[in-house]
Amino acid sequence: MPDMSASVSLAMTHLVPLAKEVDENKVTPGVLGFIVFAVMALAVWGLMKSMSRQLGKVDFKETPDPDAETASETASAKPGAGQS
């Protein structure tokens, strides 16, 4: 088996004999399926917790642009501005 780490090959050597002991007419996900599901569930939980923390840092109130304020003040201060 090319490019397999030692831990994966070790797990495969232990899991393959266990698979032969299982009744071929009864298929269940077993312990390995539960471990994969649990790891995926923990990963999703961690991502959601991180996303919640990041969204908590966001300031949703937009600060007014100081240039836009001075432009609107000068336009409103001029008499006859906006009249044709």
Side-chain angles (χ1 to χ4, degrees), residues 2-84:
D3 300 325
M4 290 185 68
S5 67
S7 61
V8 172
S9 62
L10 180 64
M12 289 300 289
T13 58
H14 288 294
L15 293 175
V16 170
L18 290 176
K20 290 180 181 177
E21 295 174 7
V22 175
D23 183 16
E24 292 181 10
N25 295 326
K26 181 180 177 184
V27 179
T28 61
V31 176
L32 181 62
F34 174 75
I35 291 171
V36 169
F37 182 78
V39 167
M40 289 175 61
L42 285 173
V44 169
W45 177 77
L47 286 171
M48 288 178 63
K49 187 172 181 177
S50 174
M51 182 182 68
S52 174
R53 190 178 318 126
Q54 294 299 322
L55 285 175
K57 293 179 183 178
V58 175
D59 182 20
F60 289 106
K61 293 184 180 179
E62 189 172 322
T63 57
D65 189 16
D67 295 333
E69 282 184 12
T70 56
S72 65
E73 288 173 2
T74 56
S76 62
K78 291 181 184 176
Q83 295 178 357
S84 45

